[in-house]
Amino acid sequence: MATDVTVPTLGESITEATLGQWLKQPGETVKLDEPIASLETDKVAVEVPSPVAGVIGELVVAEGDTVSVGAVIARITEGASAPTSATPAVEDRTAVGKAEAAAPPEPAAAPAGAATPAGYGNHGEVAVGDSPTLSPSVRRAVLELHVDPSKIKGTGTDGRITKDDVLLAAKSGQASAKAPAPAAPVASAPQSSTSSTSPDRKEERVRMSRLRQTVARRLKEAQNTAAMLTTFNDVDMTAVIEARAKYKDLFEKKHGVRLGFMGFFVKAACMALKDIPSVNGSIEGDEIVYHDYCDISVAVSAPNGLVVPVIRNAQDLTVAGIEKTIGDFGKRAKDGTLKMDEMKGGTFTISNGGVFGSLMSTPIINPPQSGVLGLHRIEDRPVVRDGQVVVRPMMYLALSYDHRLIDGREAVTFLVALKNAIEDPTRILIDL
């Protein structure tokens, strides 16, 4: 008996997704609720679980196809055992930008169990028949670091390979792989193509992910809609650095998480937002919405682009609670397991470009929010203190805001309040 696998509900207002990767191929056995495919939505990657235990029979759609909620994407034969070989049902598709005149005739589709050199398939993708099941983020790490997944011992659930496993293997050099050799096409839609006019001049075309398309659209909408302006200030990080150095070991021992700078900045931002409520507000039609809570969006780097999960009611959390939440977001962003609900809402955003070495930037607001705080790298600079020139660890702060709602005076007052709290962390403790 065959059971249809359908696209699950993806969240409010999301009606379609892109099939990013098949985690199982025809002929492979699958357990109940075991992930068989990964879908890319406008916000996060969503894994599709198997509704029954059995054997994958037919893949109805190919990687890269757009699918709607409720659409059938595969069929599973219940209770069957895996055959010795199976032929994928989805036909290979020609790569975009392929040089037809120079291309040899297309070979027939290879069976799912066919061997492929060094654990790679067509277009440098991981060959399913020769390597363990890989999530999108893990597959990308494998390709970028040139490691052979078949030589990596997975530490994840059911022995699945995690991104940390790939990074460790690449660092140790024990799973290095040669560059992928030409191979017969696998049964999936290629995500990229490479063309060249000479050995030293190559070009690669990669389809934009649904997440990247959404980010691009929303950022441009923000520029077109809001009257954006950016105000700068700098902050002396001496007190926070000293507090962190003094208590980081005890903090980690008690709370199980490292003490970073974001905990201080989120708490300081909540205090400043309370004093300047317009920075925490938004415009809806001809009305201004003021929030008496602080849902802080934190920009987190993920394999497919920037994602912005939300720390709910950050004003009620301790520094430890904030650090735990951010740490969890960062880990799950890399694994591609953030949930839809964790990406919704948010009244104010903090983006820390300093971790990548940024000195100064003008961040773009995240609609319908009206403000975003940009943090930058800490570097020693000469400043004047009590009439003396001294060297202090300084950081530039940038507040981009919607000038339709927030006046320059309010923006400057917000940054000064934030600066005062960071330079004298005791203010955070006594709510001053």
Side-chain angles (χ1 to χ4, degrees), residues 366-403:
N366 180 24
Q369 298 174 23
S370 297
V372 52
L373 176 68
L375 308 182
H376 301 91
R377 74 170 185 250
I378 303 170
E379 64 176 10
D380 290 340
R381 291 200 296 269
V383 295
V384 177
R385 295 289 186 267
D386 299 325
Q388 300 293 321
V389 177
V390 295
V391 175
R392 293 293 173 87
M394 305 296 293
M395 175 195 288
Y396 286 119
L397 305 177
L399 176 68
S400 291
Y401 54 97
D402 190 343
H403 211 345

PDB file of all heavy atoms in Angstrom, residues 366-403:
ATOM      1  N   ASN A 366      14.162  46.548   9.636  1.00  0.00           N
ATOM      2  CA  ASN A 366      13.413  45.337   9.327  1.00  0.00           C
ATOM      3  C   ASN A 366      11.919  45.631   9.502  1.00  0.00           C
ATOM      4  O   ASN A 366      11.398  45.570  10.603  1.00  0.00           O
ATOM      5  CB  ASN A 366      13.861  44.211  10.278  1.00  0.00           C
ATOM      6  CG  ASN A 366      13.138  42.911  10.029  1.00  0.00           C
ATOM      7  OD1 ASN A 366      12.636  42.655   8.944  1.00  0.00           O
ATOM      8  ND2 ASN A 366      13.086  42.069  11.058  1.00  0.00           N
ATOM      9  N   PRO A 367      11.209  46.005   8.420  1.00  0.00           N
ATOM     10  CA  PRO A 367       9.787  46.385   8.544  1.00  0.00           C
ATOM     11  C   PRO A 367       8.962  45.267   9.188  1.00  0.00           C
ATOM     12  O   PRO A 367       9.268  44.086   8.992  1.00  0.00           O
ATOM     13  CB  PRO A 367       9.355  46.598   7.093  1.00  0.00           C
ATOM     14  CG  PRO A 367      10.619  46.862   6.351  1.00  0.00           C
ATOM     15  CD  PRO A 367      11.666  46.036   7.043  1.00  0.00           C
ATOM     16  N   PRO A 368       7.922  45.599   9.971  1.00  0.00           N
ATOM     17  CA  PRO A 368       7.410  46.953  10.229  1.00  0.00           C
ATOM     18  C   PRO A 368       8.116  47.681  11.373  1.00  0.00           C
ATOM     19  O   PRO A 368       7.616  48.700  11.850  1.00  0.00           O
ATOM     20  CB  PRO A 368       5.956  46.681  10.593  1.00  0.00           C
ATOM     21  CG  PRO A 368       6.001  45.359  11.280  1.00  0.00           C
ATOM     22  CD  PRO A 368       7.055  44.560  10.557  1.00  0.00           C
ATOM     23  N   GLN A 369       9.244  47.165  11.824  1.00  0.00           N
ATOM     24  CA  GLN A 369       9.991  47.837  12.875  1.00  0.00           C
ATOM     25  C   GLN A 369      10.469  49.203  12.385  1.00  0.00           C
ATOM     26  O   GLN A 369      10.573  49.442  11.183  1.00  0.00           O
ATOM     27  CB  GLN A 369      11.190  46.984  13.308  1.00  0.00           C
ATOM     28  CG  GLN A 369      10.811  45.633  13.892  1.00  0.00           C
ATOM     29  CD  GLN A 369      12.029  44.769  14.173  1.00  0.00           C
ATOM     30  OE1 GLN A 369      13.140  45.268  14.344  1.00  0.00           O
ATOM     31  NE2 GLN A 369      11.828  43.462  14.235  1.00  0.00           N
ATOM     32  N   SER A 370      10.790  50.061  13.339  1.00  0.00           N
ATOM     33  CA  SER A 370      11.211  51.422  12.990  1.00  0.00           C
ATOM     34  C   SER A 370      12.661  51.701  13.326  1.00  0.00           C
ATOM     35  O   SER A 370      13.158  52.795  13.035  1.00  0.00           O
ATOM     36  CB  SER A 370      10.318  52.441  13.706  1.00  0.00           C
ATOM     37  OG  SER A 370       8.974  52.320  13.279  1.00  0.00           O
ATOM     38  N   GLY A 371      13.348  50.750  13.944  1.00  0.00           N
ATOM     39  CA  GLY A 371      14.737  50.988  14.309  1.00  0.00           C
ATOM     40  C   GLY A 371      15.569  49.727  14.304  1.00  0.00           C
ATOM     41  O   GLY A 371      15.065  48.627  14.554  1.00  0.00           O
ATOM     42  N   VAL A 372      16.869  49.875  14.001  1.00  0.00           N
ATOM     43  CA  VAL A 372      17.813  48.768  14.073  1.00  0.00           C
ATOM     44  C   VAL A 372      19.138  49.322  14.583  1.00  0.00           C
ATOM     45  O   VAL A 372      19.599  50.376  14.133  1.00  0.00           O
ATOM     46  CB  VAL A 372      18.001  48.073  12.705  1.00  0.00           C
ATOM     47  CG1 VAL A 372      18.346  49.069  11.613  1.00  0.00           C
ATOM     48  CG2 VAL A 372      19.077  46.985  12.788  1.00  0.00           C
ATOM     49  N   LEU A 373      19.732  48.619  15.529  1.00  0.00           N
ATOM     50  CA  LEU A 373      21.005  49.021  16.108  1.00  0.00           C
ATOM     51  C   LEU A 373      22.124  48.176  15.522  1.00  0.00           C
ATOM     52  O   LEU A 373      22.067  46.945  15.562  1.00  0.00           O
ATOM     53  CB  LEU A 373      20.982  48.843  17.628  1.00  0.00           C
ATOM     54  CG  LEU A 373      22.291  49.141  18.360  1.00  0.00           C
ATOM     55  CD1 LEU A 373      22.612  50.628  18.301  1.00  0.00           C
ATOM     56  CD2 LEU A 373      22.203  48.672  19.821  1.00  0.00           C
ATOM     57  N   GLY A 374      23.131  48.829  14.968  1.00  0.00           N
ATOM     58  CA  GLY A 374      24.287  48.130  14.430  1.00  0.00           C
ATOM     59  C   GLY A 374      25.465  48.217  15.378  1.00  0.00           C
ATOM     60  O   GLY A 374      25.856  49.319  15.790  1.00  0.00           O
ATOM     61  N   LEU A 375      26.017  47.059  15.750  1.00  0.00           N
ATOM     62  CA  LEU A 375      27.219  46.997  16.586  1.00  0.00           C
ATOM     63  C   LEU A 375      28.417  46.688  15.697  1.00  0.00           C
ATOM     64  O   LEU A 375      28.283  46.009  14.676  1.00  0.00           O
ATOM     65  CB  LEU A 375      27.079  45.912  17.656  1.00  0.00           C
ATOM     66  CG  LEU A 375      25.822  45.940  18.521  1.00  0.00           C
ATOM     67  CD1 LEU A 375      25.871  44.826  19.557  1.00  0.00           C
ATOM     68  CD2 LEU A 375      25.664  47.296  19.198  1.00  0.00           C
ATOM     69  N   HIS A 376      29.591  47.167  16.090  1.00  0.00           N
ATOM     70  CA  HIS A 376      30.770  47.002  15.244  1.00  0.00           C
ATOM     71  C   HIS A 376      31.954  46.520  16.066  1.00  0.00           C
ATOM     72  O   HIS A 376      31.831  46.273  17.270  1.00  0.00           O
ATOM     73  CB  HIS A 376      31.065  48.318  14.521  1.00  0.00           C
ATOM     74  CG  HIS A 376      29.914  48.775  13.677  1.00  0.00           C
ATOM     75  ND1 HIS A 376      28.924  49.611  14.171  1.00  0.00           N
ATOM     76  CD2 HIS A 376      29.568  48.482  12.411  1.00  0.00           C
ATOM     77  CE1 HIS A 376      28.020  49.817  13.221  1.00  0.00           C
ATOM     78  NE2 HIS A 376      28.388  49.150  12.154  1.00  0.00           N
ATOM     79  N   ARG A 377      33.081  46.367  15.400  1.00  0.00           N
ATOM     80  CA  ARG A 377      34.235  45.766  16.079  1.00  0.00           C
ATOM     81  C   ARG A 377      34.789  46.718  17.142  1.00  0.00           C
ATOM     82  O   ARG A 377      34.641  47.935  17.061  1.00  0.00           O
ATOM     83  CB  ARG A 377      35.316  45.393  15.081  1.00  0.00           C
ATOM     84  CG  ARG A 377      36.108  46.561  14.517  1.00  0.00           C
ATOM     85  CD  ARG A 377      37.321  46.048  13.732  1.00  0.00           C
ATOM     86  NE  ARG A 377      38.164  47.138  13.267  1.00  0.00           N
ATOM     87  CZ  ARG A 377      38.281  47.504  12.014  1.00  0.00           C
ATOM     88  NH1 ARG A 377      37.566  46.905  11.087  1.00  0.00           N
ATOM     89  NH2 ARG A 377      39.108  48.498  11.671  1.00  0.00           N
ATOM     90  N   ILE A 378      35.416  46.118  18.132  1.00  0.00           N
ATOM     91  CA  ILE A 378      36.070  46.875  19.208  1.00  0.00           C
ATOM     92  C   ILE A 378      37.541  47.041  18.848  1.00  0.00           C
ATOM     93  O   ILE A 378      38.215  46.071  18.509  1.00  0.00           O
ATOM     94  CB  ILE A 378      35.935  46.137  20.549  1.00  0.00           C
ATOM     95  CG1 ILE A 378      34.456  45.889  20.882  1.00  0.00           C
ATOM     96  CG2 ILE A 378      36.616  46.912  21.659  1.00  0.00           C
ATOM     97  CD1 ILE A 378      34.256  44.960  22.067  1.00  0.00           C
ATOM     98  N   GLU A 379      38.017  48.270  18.891  1.00  0.00           N
ATOM     99  CA  GLU A 379      39.433  48.496  18.628  1.00  0.00           C
ATOM    100  C   GLU A 379      39.947  49.622  19.513  1.00  0.00           C
ATOM    101  O   GLU A 379      39.203  50.539  19.888  1.00  0.00           O
ATOM    102  CB  GLU A 379      39.674  48.830  17.151  1.00  0.00           C
ATOM    103  CG  GLU A 379      39.055  50.108  16.659  1.00  0.00           C
ATOM    104  CD  GLU A 379      39.433  50.401  15.211  1.00  0.00           C
ATOM    105  OE1 GLU A 379      40.016  49.529  14.564  1.00  0.00           O
ATOM    106  OE2 GLU A 379      39.140  51.512  14.748  1.00  0.00           O
ATOM    107  N   ASP A 380      41.223  49.534  19.856  1.00  0.00           N
ATOM    108  CA  ASP A 380      41.848  50.561  20.697  1.00  0.00           C
ATOM    109  C   ASP A 380      42.003  51.855  19.910  1.00  0.00           C
ATOM    110  O   ASP A 380      42.565  51.869  18.806  1.00  0.00           O
ATOM    111  CB  ASP A 380      43.215  50.086  21.192  1.00  0.00           C
ATOM    112  CG  ASP A 380      43.107  48.968  22.212  1.00  0.00           C
ATOM    113  OD1 ASP A 380      42.016  48.828  22.798  1.00  0.00           O
ATOM    114  OD2 ASP A 380      44.089  48.228  22.394  1.00  0.00           O
ATOM    115  N   ARG A 381      41.518  52.970  20.514  1.00  0.00           N
ATOM    116  CA  ARG A 381      41.647  54.281  19.878  1.00  0.00           C
ATOM    117  C   ARG A 381      41.991  55.318  20.947  1.00  0.00           C
ATOM    118  O   ARG A 381      41.601  55.175  22.112  1.00  0.00           O
ATOM    119  CB  ARG A 381      40.347  54.681  19.169  1.00  0.00           C
ATOM    120  CG  ARG A 381      40.035  53.866  17.945  1.00  0.00           C
ATOM    121  CD  ARG A 381      39.046  54.589  17.021  1.00  0.00           C
ATOM    122  NE  ARG A 381      37.757  54.782  17.652  1.00  0.00           N
ATOM    123  CZ  ARG A 381      36.749  53.911  17.567  1.00  0.00           C
ATOM    124  NH1 ARG A 381      36.923  52.786  16.902  1.00  0.00           N
ATOM    125  NH2 ARG A 381      35.599  54.161  18.140  1.00  0.00           N
ATOM    126  N   PRO A 382      42.683  56.372  20.568  1.00  0.00           N
ATOM    127  CA  PRO A 382      42.999  57.430  21.543  1.00  0.00           C
ATOM    128  C   PRO A 382      41.758  58.288  21.808  1.00  0.00           C
ATOM    129  O   PRO A 382      41.079  58.730  20.876  1.00  0.00           O
ATOM    130  CB  PRO A 382      44.093  58.241  20.846  1.00  0.00           C
ATOM    131  CG  PRO A 382      43.871  58.007  19.386  1.00  0.00           C
ATOM    132  CD  PRO A 382      43.347  56.610  19.274  1.00  0.00           C
ATOM    133  N   VAL A 383      41.452  58.509  23.079  1.00  0.00           N
ATOM    134  CA  VAL A 383      40.337  59.365  23.479  1.00  0.00           C
ATOM    135  C   VAL A 383      40.808  60.255  24.626  1.00  0.00           C
ATOM    136  O   VAL A 383      41.827  59.982  25.262  1.00  0.00           O
ATOM    137  CB  VAL A 383      39.112  58.527  23.924  1.00  0.00           C
ATOM    138  CG1 VAL A 383      38.549  57.728  22.766  1.00  0.00           C
ATOM    139  CG2 VAL A 383      39.485  57.608  25.084  1.00  0.00           C
ATOM    140  N   VAL A 384      40.058  61.296  24.875  1.00  0.00           N
ATOM    141  CA  VAL A 384      40.419  62.227  25.953  1.00  0.00           C
ATOM    142  C   VAL A 384      39.577  61.923  27.185  1.00  0.00           C
ATOM    143  O   VAL A 384      38.342  61.882  27.120  1.00  0.00           O
ATOM    144  CB  VAL A 384      40.204  63.685  25.519  1.00  0.00           C
ATOM    145  CG1 VAL A 384      40.519  64.638  26.673  1.00  0.00           C
ATOM    146  CG2 VAL A 384      41.064  64.011  24.303  1.00  0.00           C
ATOM    147  N   ARG A 385      40.258  61.676  28.313  1.00  0.00           N
ATOM    148  CA  ARG A 385      39.591  61.437  29.584  1.00  0.00           C
ATOM    149  C   ARG A 385      40.240  62.325  30.636  1.00  0.00           C
ATOM    150  O   ARG A 385      41.454  62.223  30.871  1.00  0.00           O
ATOM    151  CB  ARG A 385      39.701  59.954  30.006  1.00  0.00           C
ATOM    152  CG  ARG A 385      38.967  58.986  29.083  1.00  0.00           C
ATOM    153  CD  ARG A 385      37.460  59.119  29.234  1.00  0.00           C
ATOM    154  NE  ARG A 385      36.751  58.113  28.459  1.00  0.00           N
ATOM    155  CZ  ARG A 385      36.313  58.298  27.229  1.00  0.00           C
ATOM    156  NH1 ARG A 385      36.548  59.472  26.619  1.00  0.00           N
ATOM    157  NH2 ARG A 385      35.673  57.346  26.582  1.00  0.00           N
ATOM    158  N   ASP A 386      39.443  63.200  31.256  1.00  0.00           N
ATOM    159  CA  ASP A 386      39.951  64.113  32.292  1.00  0.00           C
ATOM    160  C   ASP A 386      41.140  64.923  31.788  1.00  0.00           C
ATOM    161  O   ASP A 386      42.140  65.124  32.489  1.00  0.00           O
ATOM    162  CB  ASP A 386      40.359  63.322  33.552  1.00  0.00           C
ATOM    163  CG  ASP A 386      39.196  62.569  34.162  1.00  0.00           C
ATOM    164  OD1 ASP A 386      38.066  63.094  34.113  1.00  0.00           O
ATOM    165  OD2 ASP A 386      39.407  61.443  34.667  1.00  0.00           O
ATOM    166  N   GLY A 387      41.049  65.387  30.544  1.00  0.00           N
ATOM    167  CA  GLY A 387      42.096  66.228  29.977  1.00  0.00           C
ATOM    168  C   GLY A 387      43.327  65.488  29.506  1.00  0.00           C
ATOM    169  O   GLY A 387      44.291  66.115  29.062  1.00  0.00           O
ATOM    170  N   GLN A 388      43.311  64.144  29.598  1.00  0.00           N
ATOM    171  CA  GLN A 388      44.458  63.347  29.184  1.00  0.00           C
ATOM    172  C   GLN A 388      44.077  62.459  28.002  1.00  0.00           C
ATOM    173  O   GLN A 388      42.967  61.922  27.945  1.00  0.00           O
ATOM    174  CB  GLN A 388      44.947  62.467  30.344  1.00  0.00           C
ATOM    175  CG  GLN A 388      45.382  63.234  31.577  1.00  0.00           C
ATOM    176  CD  GLN A 388      46.625  64.068  31.326  1.00  0.00           C
ATOM    177  OE1 GLN A 388      47.548  63.639  30.633  1.00  0.00           O
ATOM    178  NE2 GLN A 388      46.656  65.264  31.898  1.00  0.00           N
ATOM    179  N   VAL A 389      45.009  62.295  27.076  1.00  0.00           N
ATOM    180  CA  VAL A 389      44.787  61.386  25.951  1.00  0.00           C
ATOM    181  C   VAL A 389      45.158  59.970  26.395  1.00  0.00           C
ATOM    182  O   VAL A 389      46.312  59.720  26.784  1.00  0.00           O
ATOM    183  CB  VAL A 389      45.628  61.796  24.727  1.00  0.00           C
ATOM    184  CG1 VAL A 389      45.435  60.777  23.600  1.00  0.00           C
ATOM    185  CG2 VAL A 389      45.226  63.180  24.251  1.00  0.00           C
ATOM    186  N   VAL A 390      44.198  59.087  26.352  1.00  0.00           N
ATOM    187  CA  VAL A 390      44.415  57.700  26.767  1.00  0.00           C
ATOM    188  C   VAL A 390      43.893  56.775  25.667  1.00  0.00           C
ATOM    189  O   VAL A 390      43.103  57.178  24.811  1.00  0.00           O
ATOM    190  CB  VAL A 390      43.699  57.391  28.098  1.00  0.00           C
ATOM    191  CG1 VAL A 390      44.293  58.207  29.222  1.00  0.00           C
ATOM    192  CG2 VAL A 390      42.205  57.652  27.971  1.00  0.00           C
ATOM    193  N   VAL A 391      44.332  55.534  25.709  1.00  0.00           N
ATOM    194  CA  VAL A 391      43.882  54.530  24.737  1.00  0.00           C
ATOM    195  C   VAL A 391      42.791  53.684  25.389  1.00  0.00           C
ATOM    196  O   VAL A 391      42.991  53.124  26.472  1.00  0.00           O
ATOM    197  CB  VAL A 391      45.056  53.639  24.280  1.00  0.00           C
ATOM    198  CG1 VAL A 391      44.550  52.529  23.358  1.00  0.00           C
ATOM    199  CG2 VAL A 391      46.105  54.470  23.554  1.00  0.00           C
ATOM    200  N   ARG A 392      41.644  53.587  24.734  1.00  0.00           N
ATOM    201  CA  ARG A 392      40.513  52.818  25.265  1.00  0.00           C
ATOM    202  C   ARG A 392      39.922  51.929  24.166  1.00  0.00           C
ATOM    203  O   ARG A 392      39.969  52.279  22.978  1.00  0.00           O
ATOM    204  CB  ARG A 392      39.427  53.759  25.787  1.00  0.00           C
ATOM    205  CG  ARG A 392      39.848  54.556  27.011  1.00  0.00           C
ATOM    206  CD  ARG A 392      40.038  53.645  28.219  1.00  0.00           C
ATOM    207  NE  ARG A 392      40.591  54.351  29.356  1.00  0.00           N
ATOM    208  CZ  ARG A 392      39.857  54.999  30.253  1.00  0.00           C
ATOM    209  NH1 ARG A 392      38.555  55.078  30.113  1.00  0.00           N
ATOM    210  NH2 ARG A 392      40.440  55.593  31.280  1.00  0.00           N
ATOM    211  N   PRO A 393      39.336  50.792  24.549  1.00  0.00           N
ATOM    212  CA  PRO A 393      38.655  49.930  23.566  1.00  0.00           C
ATOM    213  C   PRO A 393      37.310  50.560  23.188  1.00  0.00           C
ATOM    214  O   PRO A 393      36.384  50.579  24.000  1.00  0.00           O
ATOM    215  CB  PRO A 393      38.481  48.608  24.322  1.00  0.00           C
ATOM    216  CG  PRO A 393      38.431  48.998  25.758  1.00  0.00           C
ATOM    217  CD  PRO A 393      39.335  50.200  25.904  1.00  0.00           C
ATOM    218  N   MET A 394      37.205  51.036  21.965  1.00  0.00           N
ATOM    219  CA  MET A 394      36.025  51.773  21.534  1.00  0.00           C
ATOM    220  C   MET A 394      35.245  51.002  20.466  1.00  0.00           C
ATOM    221  O   MET A 394      35.819  50.243  19.685  1.00  0.00           O
ATOM    222  CB  MET A 394      36.419  53.148  20.976  1.00  0.00           C
ATOM    223  CG  MET A 394      37.239  54.006  21.927  1.00  0.00           C
ATOM    224  SD  MET A 394      36.339  54.456  23.428  1.00  0.00           S
ATOM    225  CE  MET A 394      35.057  55.530  22.742  1.00  0.00           C
ATOM    226  N   MET A 395      33.937  51.229  20.445  1.00  0.00           N
ATOM    227  CA  MET A 395      33.070  50.631  19.438  1.00  0.00           C
ATOM    228  C   MET A 395      32.139  51.706  18.879  1.00  0.00           C
ATOM    229  O   MET A 395      31.581  52.501  19.622  1.00  0.00           O
ATOM    230  CB  MET A 395      32.220  49.495  20.034  1.00  0.00           C
ATOM    231  CG  MET A 395      31.194  48.913  19.045  1.00  0.00           C
ATOM    232  SD  MET A 395      29.908  47.908  19.826  1.00  0.00           S
ATOM    233  CE  MET A 395      30.839  46.448  20.272  1.00  0.00           C
ATOM    234  N   TYR A 396      31.962  51.700  17.561  1.00  0.00           N
ATOM    235  CA  TYR A 396      30.987  52.589  16.945  1.00  0.00           C
ATOM    236  C   TYR A 396      29.601  51.950  16.999  1.00  0.00           C
ATOM    237  O   TYR A 396      29.451  50.744  16.755  1.00  0.00           O
ATOM    238  CB  TYR A 396      31.353  52.870  15.487  1.00  0.00           C
ATOM    239  CG  TYR A 396      32.511  53.811  15.310  1.00  0.00           C
ATOM    240  CD1 TYR A 396      33.669  53.408  14.654  1.00  0.00           C
ATOM    241  CD2 TYR A 396      32.444  55.117  15.784  1.00  0.00           C
ATOM    242  CE1 TYR A 396      34.741  54.271  14.487  1.00  0.00           C
ATOM    243  CE2 TYR A 396      33.514  55.989  15.621  1.00  0.00           C
ATOM    244  CZ  TYR A 396      34.651  55.560  14.983  1.00  0.00           C
ATOM    245  OH  TYR A 396      35.715  56.424  14.830  1.00  0.00           O
ATOM    246  N   LEU A 397      28.611  52.759  17.331  1.00  0.00           N
ATOM    247  CA  LEU A 397      27.217  52.330  17.315  1.00  0.00           C
ATOM    248  C   LEU A 397      26.498  53.069  16.188  1.00  0.00           C
ATOM    249  O   LEU A 397      26.764  54.242  15.943  1.00  0.00           O
ATOM    250  CB  LEU A 397      26.527  52.664  18.643  1.00  0.00           C
ATOM    251  CG  LEU A 397      27.164  52.130  19.922  1.00  0.00           C
ATOM    252  CD1 LEU A 397      26.384  52.634  21.135  1.00  0.00           C
ATOM    253  CD2 LEU A 397      27.203  50.606  19.906  1.00  0.00           C
ATOM    254  N   ALA A 398      25.601  52.378  15.499  1.00  0.00           N
ATOM    255  CA  ALA A 398      24.820  52.998  14.420  1.00  0.00           C
ATOM    256  C   ALA A 398      23.353  52.666  14.635  1.00  0.00           C
ATOM    257  O   ALA A 398      22.989  51.488  14.737  1.00  0.00           O
ATOM    258  CB  ALA A 398      25.289  52.481  13.061  1.00  0.00           C
ATOM    259  N   LEU A 399      22.520  53.679  14.708  1.00  0.00           N
ATOM    260  CA  LEU A 399      21.077  53.490  14.818  1.00  0.00           C
ATOM    261  C   LEU A 399      20.421  53.982  13.538  1.00  0.00           C
ATOM    262  O   LEU A 399      20.401  55.181  13.257  1.00  0.00           O
ATOM    263  CB  LEU A 399      20.508  54.259  16.019  1.00  0.00           C
ATOM    264  CG  LEU A 399      18.978  54.183  16.157  1.00  0.00           C
ATOM    265  CD1 LEU A 399      18.539  52.768  16.524  1.00  0.00           C
ATOM    266  CD2 LEU A 399      18.470  55.189  17.186  1.00  0.00           C
ATOM    267  N   SER A 400      19.917  53.052  12.742  1.00  0.00           N
ATOM    268  CA  SER A 400      19.111  53.419  11.575  1.00  0.00           C
ATOM    269  C   SER A 400      17.648  53.406  11.998  1.00  0.00           C
ATOM    270  O   SER A 400      17.197  52.486  12.686  1.00  0.00           O
ATOM    271  CB  SER A 400      19.336  52.436  10.422  1.00  0.00           C
ATOM    272  OG  SER A 400      20.631  52.558   9.880  1.00  0.00           O
ATOM    273  N   TYR A 401      16.901  54.416  11.560  1.00  0.00           N
ATOM    274  CA  TYR A 401      15.521  54.539  12.033  1.00  0.00           C
ATOM    275  C   TYR A 401      14.646  55.177  10.965  1.00  0.00           C
ATOM    276  O   TYR A 401      15.132  55.818  10.009  1.00  0.00           O
ATOM    277  CB  TYR A 401      15.469  55.371  13.318  1.00  0.00           C
ATOM    278  CG  TYR A 401      16.117  56.731  13.229  1.00  0.00           C
ATOM    279  CD1 TYR A 401      15.375  57.878  12.972  1.00  0.00           C
ATOM    280  CD2 TYR A 401      17.494  56.868  13.412  1.00  0.00           C
ATOM    281  CE1 TYR A 401      15.985  59.126  12.905  1.00  0.00           C
ATOM    282  CE2 TYR A 401      18.110  58.105  13.336  1.00  0.00           C
ATOM    283  CZ  TYR A 401      17.343  59.235  13.085  1.00  0.00           C
ATOM    284  OH  TYR A 401      17.949  60.470  13.003  1.00  0.00           O
ATOM    285  N   ASP A 402      13.340  54.989  11.131  1.00  0.00           N
ATOM    286  CA  ASP A 402      12.350  55.545  10.225  1.00  0.00           C
ATOM    287  C   ASP A 402      12.032  56.968  10.689  1.00  0.00           C
ATOM    288  O   ASP A 402      11.389  57.161  11.722  1.00  0.00           O
ATOM    289  CB  ASP A 402      11.093  54.677  10.227  1.00  0.00           C
ATOM    290  CG  ASP A 402      10.114  55.058   9.123  1.00  0.00           C
ATOM    291  OD1 ASP A 402      10.243  56.167   8.578  1.00  0.00           O
ATOM    292  OD2 ASP A 402       9.215  54.252   8.818  1.00  0.00           O
ATOM    293  N   HIS A 403      12.470  57.934   9.915  1.00  0.00           N
ATOM    294  CA  HIS A 403      12.333  59.341  10.307  1.00  0.00           C
ATOM    295  C   HIS A 403      10.872  59.802  10.281  1.00  0.00           C
ATOM    296  O   HIS A 403      10.541  60.863  10.805  1.00  0.00           O
ATOM    297  CB  HIS A 403      13.173  60.218   9.369  1.00  0.00           C
ATOM    298  CG  HIS A 403      13.716  61.443  10.030  1.00  0.00           C
ATOM    299  ND1 HIS A 403      13.255  61.915  11.245  1.00  0.00           N
ATOM    300  CD2 HIS A 403      14.699  62.308   9.660  1.00  0.00           C
ATOM    301  CE1 HIS A 403      13.913  63.004  11.582  1.00  0.00           C
ATOM    302  NE2 HIS A 403      14.800  63.275  10.629  1.00  0.00           N
TER     303      HIS A 403
END
